[in-house]
Amino acid sequence: MKERITFLDYLRVVACFLVMLVHASENFYGADASGLAGNVSMLANESNRFWVAFYDGALGRVAVPLFMIVSAFLLVPMKPGTTMVQFYRRRFMRILPPMVVFLLLYTFLPLAWGGMTWEQSMADLQLLPFNFPSMAGHLWFMYPLISLYLIIPVVSPWLERATAKEELIFIGIFTFTTIIPWLHRFVSAELWGECFWNQFSMFWYCSGYLGYLVLAHYIRYHLTWNQRKRLTVGTIAFVGGAAFTAWSFWWKGEPGLLIETPMLEWSWEFCTLNVLITTFGLFLLFTCIRQAKAPALITSLSKLSYGMYLMHLFFLAPIAAWIIDGDASEPSIPVALAIPAIAVLTFVCCAITTKLLSLLPKSKYIIG
């Protein structure tokens, strides 16, 4: 049996919950009929403005980068003797069958309760080879994850040979690229070679989630800080980055006004500098966990986390509708409690459902 890394089990569980916290929060600023954040947003009042900034911004933004770092931490460099084909077979046989199952479920299952029309369902089906269906926006994450898996056999040999200094050079370049989203918003939509006939700018190949992959490898193999330094730096980085992320939303989110979501979330992209700093800080804090073995509940939830992520919108939408009770400005309980309540109830429902599904034969093809 493969030995488990305790702090990664904790991290998967926390990251899975944070994804649900993000989507719970979106119900309090999204101006889309689905309740989630679409192209435009509007905050009803100052309470929503503050608590969305806190839960979604300060806490939730790190969820996606954490999942990327966890995957990279475990997978790079590849095991000696592993070929590209072997790596692809193992990774994609784990993630693709459940992904396809849920792509189809989100395309057709909402028909059962009138959540979508046949016309929309058929339109989604036609586009499935190219993108996620309209009711499954959270599955966008699968495509960059697949991209990361595709590139691992290419960068793995370099990571095996690279020195700590060489990796730091790349991480430095990647860190610089995390200000590009800000430059796109406030300086120019086209930078360093970008134009309508070229999207591959000067820093294209040093940007994106590949940076988190190299960062994960550097932390595992080259970072020699003791626990005290990890706790200190991790706390400062997490608190500072989270505070800026929350403030960036609060600054733009004037209650009662429609605003384009990309401008409201101007510093919420997962490869922005503040999210990188926050993620790095929180990951460092989790590396300080010294337990030889996580509690059985944590290990079980960690193993179930992929299936929980895939299905969570099926539960989150009705739970949010029940708690919000038709008015995001005055939900049935205060917003400060409503957002975490939606996330916790969704998490519990997903955990129970995924555990039951795991008892079925061949369940790995459904929930991973």
Side-chain angles (χ1 to χ4, degrees), residues 99-282:
M99 177 185 173
V100 171
V101 167
F102 277 89
L103 285 171
L104 292 170
L105 285 174
Y106 281 104
T107 299
F108 292 109
L109 195 56
L111 290 168
W113 56 80
M116 67 192 310
T117 64
W118 270 107
E119 290 75 15
Q120 183 61 62
S121 181
M122 290 299 102
D124 284 352
L125 180 63
Q126 291 175 12
L127 287 175
L128 276 193
F130 308 103
N131 216 338
F132 53 84
S134 56
M135 299 291 285
H138 67 301
L139 295 184
W140 73 267
F141 167 78
M142 297 306 302
Y143 299 90
L145 181 65
I146 289 169
S147 176
L148 208 62
Y149 286 172
L150 288 172
I151 202 66
I152 282 176
V154 179
V155 300
S156 186
W158 173 71
L159 287 170
E160 288 186 81
R161 299 191 305 270
T163 64
K165 183 178 179 180
E166 289 170 337
E167 288 189 36
L168 275 178
I169 290 172
F170 182 88
I171 292 170
I173 298 170
F174 161 63
T175 301
F176 175 78
T177 71
T178 61
I179 70 170
I180 290 177
W182 300 347
L183 297 178
H184 277 152
R185 296 274 192 290
F186 300 114
V187 178
S188 173
E190 298 175 342
L191 298 165
W192 299 307
E194 290 176 322
C195 48
F196 78 85
W197 64 86
N198 175 52
Q199 62 179 311
F200 303 102
S201 67
M202 180 169 65
F203 292 102
W204 179 274
Y205 297 104
C206 298
S207 61
Y209 298 107
L210 177 60
Y212 284 111
L213 183 152
V214 178
L215 178 62
H217 183 272
Y218 181 85
I219 292 172
R220 183 168 190 178
Y221 292 98
H222 298 301
L223 195 69
T224 57
W225 294 350
N226 59 31
Q227 186 170 12
R228 181 177 179 181
K229 188 168 184 179
R230 288 175 183 240
L231 284 170
T232 301
V233 175
T235 300
I236 293 171
F238 175 71
V239 173
F244 182 92
T245 309
W247 168 83
S248 70
F249 180 93
W250 183 90
W251 175 49
K252 286 291 184 180
E254 187 174 343
L257 294 180
L258 277 175
I259 183 172
E260 293 181 359
T261 302
M263 285 306 299
L264 181 61
E265 299 179 350
W266 68 274
S267 200
W268 277 19
E269 291 185 25
F270 301 113
C271 293
T272 50
L273 181 59
N274 50 298
V275 175
L276 168 61
I277 291 170
T278 312
T279 303
F280 173 68
L282 189 57

